[in-house]
Amino acid sequence: HTQPPPPPIPEVVATWEAISLGRQPVPEYFNFAHDVLDVWSQLEKTGHRPPNPAFWWVNGSGTEVKWTFEELGKQSRKAANVLEGVCGLQPGDRMMLVLPRLPDWWLISVACMRTGVVMIPGVSQLTAKDLKYRLQAARAKSIVTSDALAPQVDAISADCPSLQTKLLVSDTSRPGWINFRELLRAASPEHNCVRTRSGDSVAIYFTSGTTGAPKMVEHSQSSYGLGFVASGRRWMALTESDIFWNTTDTGWVKAAWTLFSAWSNGACIFVHELPRVDAKTILNTLCRFPITTLCCVPTLFRLLVQEDLTRYKFQCLRHCLTGGEALNPDVRDKWKSQTGLELHEGYGQSETVVICGNSRNSTIKSGSMGKASPPYDVQIVDEEGNVLPPGKEGNIAVRIKPTRPFCFFNCYLDNPEKTAASEQGDFYITGDRAHMDEDGYFWFLGRNDDVINSSSYRIGPVEVESALAEHPAVLESAVVSSPDPIRGEVVKAFIVLSPAYASHDPEALTRELQEHVKTVTAPYKYPRKVAFISELPKTVSGKILRSKLRNQEWGR
Ligand SMILES: Nc1ncnc2c1ncn2[C@@H]1O[C@H](COP(=O)(O)OP(=O)(O)OP(=O)(O)O)[C@@H](O)[C@H]1O
């Protein structure tokens, strides 16, 4: 499955890539809209880019939006005038951006860069309480959202004294709100991009909150803007001829990963509105459109492989990506055997760019997250921050001393204690456990809190879940610790059954699954307790919330 060599890199991208790899210094001033997007617009005009759109949006009922880099430039300059004009926003002001997958999200993101406004993306499932927490914590001056969330914002805006303007993306109007689309139509396409320093803030991300209250992660103009060039080429295999579809919600950090990696490499961002994320829509879209590159979270690939994939003929798909949580080897095997396509897993956090991954044409070891992604020096360290030898389990850590990589978050905003606690010795500590093998491949064990300690055996939930996934009865599972009077804690598996097994005798099935785990992995890991449930608790980004099940077990 070796892919053909990529086309030669345009000279300017080669320079960005060298910076991205830490081989050239980061410029003092950098603005992604001005220094990357407007450059692609020029390359496009002079015929140095294939006739590939920069942005392609479809809604599944026949409506499409396609922009070249030039059109994206024009529309985003108009949007910049709306932010500066009617909204009165200035460089450094913060704006929450909570929209479904609508083209306006990408326009406003670029407009923020042009005006120096710091964007704070959020997912559309946020409740009034979540919105209040975020608006207050970030002291946001403005919010952009759609009809669905506007009432929730109205319910809490009196409690958010910093909030001055509310922008509505809608074809109708609402009292107290400024209509973005109306203003956009009338706005001037002339706008001078503000001059930003590389270290100036570009975005604030609230983490998913999988392990606690969401933290505010601040990124700079260059951390993502230049930091994704190399992984965009290597892990995502993106070039100016590619069409990249990442099904992520706009509020999750993956949307930013996609924006910066695709556009810095001149690729087209494909978006399906996906009001409902379902397997058939995804598979049909891959058949209808010339998408070359796909990224979905493992949860979604788990659903896709339930379908008969041989019935679908994808037009142009050649590179598939996943990340955000562990990929069960069984899912990768099924995807590959049915589509002939390799699934390239990557690992990273809101705080970072890609920490490690299985890049294009690399040898993949099933179950591993791949190798360190340059310029990061990734190591496994002990509790004191000492580097551990291959094979030893410890914390996944990224070297930040003597030099902190530029492609890294600035800090946890307003939380110096948390920022300090994330560092140990010369390293940034991810909070995830793994080991590295002799060849430099990383093997994920689990988040710190998720690792189970049973009779002094340390068990990573992912290993047990992956073993369970190999049994046809298991659609998906979550493995957590459960109290036990003798062993202290034992492995408990919460299992969602495949429809064909829903009416099987639970006791017989429990025994069968326990025996199955004992045969495919070290027997001490088998789940001593099993519960069948209809649905696993997940974060809005689709990650399994093991902490919720664990707390339930321990009565917390
Ligand atoms: N390929 C992967 N395999 C296993 N886990 C992964 C992978 N990629 C990402 N993750 C998990 O996702 C985490 C990063 O996700 P994100 O930055 O959204 O914050 P979060 O950890 O989910 O939220 P919070 O910090 O609020 O708990 C990683 O630390 C890791 O636990």
Side-chain angles (χ1 to χ4, degrees), residues 6 229 231-245 257-258 261-263 265-268 292-293 318-319 321 360:
V229 184
S231 43
R233 284 259 146 190
R234 292 154 185 237
W235 175 53
M236 305 185 191
L238 294 170
T239 71
E240 54 275 30
S241 315
D242 283 299
I243 298 183
F244 181 24
W245 184 24
W257 283 36
T258 301
S261 54
W263 280 345
N265 282 291
C268 167
T292 61
T293 315
R318 60 169 188 85
H319 193 77
L321 300 156
R360 186 179 181 283

Side-chain angles (χ1 to χ4, degrees), residues 124-176:
S124 300
Q125 295 91 331
L126 292 177
T127 62
K129 185 166 157 260
D130 300 328
L131 287 164
K132 185 166 121 184
Y133 171 79
R134 284 161 174 75
L135 287 165
Q136 287 180 343
R139 296 182 299 282
K141 264 203 173 159
S142 177
I143 184 165
V144 191
T145 195
S146 58
D147 291 317
L149 268 186
Q152 273 90 308
V153 176
D154 281 338
I156 49 92
S157 48
D159 300 327
C160 305
S162 60
L163 189 64
Q164 287 171 10
T165 46
K166 297 187 280 190
L167 266 177
L168 191 68
V169 174
S170 167
D171 294 325
T172 57
S173 55
R174 184 180 173 90

Side-chain angles (χ1 to χ4, degrees), residues 56-97:
W56 189 352
W57 178 90
V58 304
N59 69 353
S61 31
T63 310
E64 290 189 23
V65 172
K66 260 189 204 177
W67 294 322
T68 57
F69 276 105
E70 188 182 2
E71 187 63 22
L72 171 68
K74 183 177 152 200
Q75 294 296 334
S76 61
R77 275 188 276 274
K78 286 173 137 217
N81 282 324
V82 173
L83 301 193
E84 275 177 2
V86 182
C87 301
L89 293 172
Q90 311 221 335
D93 285 346
R94 297 171 184 168
M95 185 172 80
M96 264 201 93
L97 179 51

Side-chain angles (χ1 to χ4, degrees), residues 271-443:
V271 181
H272 190 302
E273 192 182 14
L274 283 178
R276 250 193 58 232
V277 180
D278 71 289
K280 287 201 171 62
T281 307
I282 291 176
L283 296 169
N284 284 327
T285 304
L286 293 169
C287 296
R288 285 191 50 209
F289 296 94
I291 294 153
T292 61
T293 315
L294 172 73
C295 185
C296 296
V297 284
T299 302
L300 213 43
F301 275 110
R302 280 199 286 273
L303 279 185
L304 296 184
V305 298
Q306 298 296 312
E307 302 290 319
D308 176 5
L309 295 173
T310 55
R311 285 183 38 227
Y312 296 88
K313 192 163 167 19
F314 304 150
Q315 255 195 50
C316 293
L317 191 65
R318 60 169 188 85
H319 193 77
C320 305
L321 300 156
T322 193
E325 65 173 347
L327 171 70
N328 308 122
D330 181 62
V331 174
R332 174 180 163 254
D333 293 344
K334 283 186 180 143
W335 178 257
K336 192 174 169 179
S337 67
Q338 289 207 56
T339 64
L341 291 162
E342 188 54 85
L343 197 40
H344 297 78
E345 183 176 356
Y347 160 82
Q349 300 187 312
S350 309
E351 290 85 340
T352 66
V353 294
V354 184
I355 295 177
C356 60
N358 289 301
S359 57
R360 186 179 181 283
N361 285 346
S362 62
T363 305
I364 295 182
K365 294 192 188 184
S366 201
S368 154
M369 307 190 293
K371 293 188 185 183
S373 181
Y376 287 157
D377 174 1
V378 188
Q379 299 288 345
I380 300 296
V381 302
D382 67 13
E383 300 314 313
E384 277 79 49
N386 303 306
V387 175
L388 291 170
K392 280 259 181 265
E393 180 211 316
N395 294 311
I396 307 177
V398 181
R399 194 181 293 279
I400 51 167
K401 287 178 192 158
T403 315
R404 189 179 172 94
F406 80 94
C407 43
F408 224 69
F409 72 125
N410 286 346
C411 63
Y412 295 116
L413 267 181
D414 303 331
N415 204 336
E417 301 81 25
K418 197 100 202 160
T419 308
S422 69
E423 297 176 11
Q424 209 151 50
D426 293 348
F427 290 93
Y428 160 77
I429 307 295
T430 59
D432 292 316
R433 312 276 303 177
H435 77 267
M436 184 174 73
D437 68 17
E438 293 281 353
D439 302 323
Y441 283 78
F442 287 87
W443 300 80

Side-chain angles (χ1 to χ4, degrees), residues 207-211 215 324-326 345-346 349-350 432 447 543:
T207 59
S208 326
T210 322
T211 53
K215 304 175 282 267
E325 65 173 347
E345 183 176 356
Q349 300 187 312
S350 309
D432 292 316
R447 289 164 186 263
K543 298 188 193 196

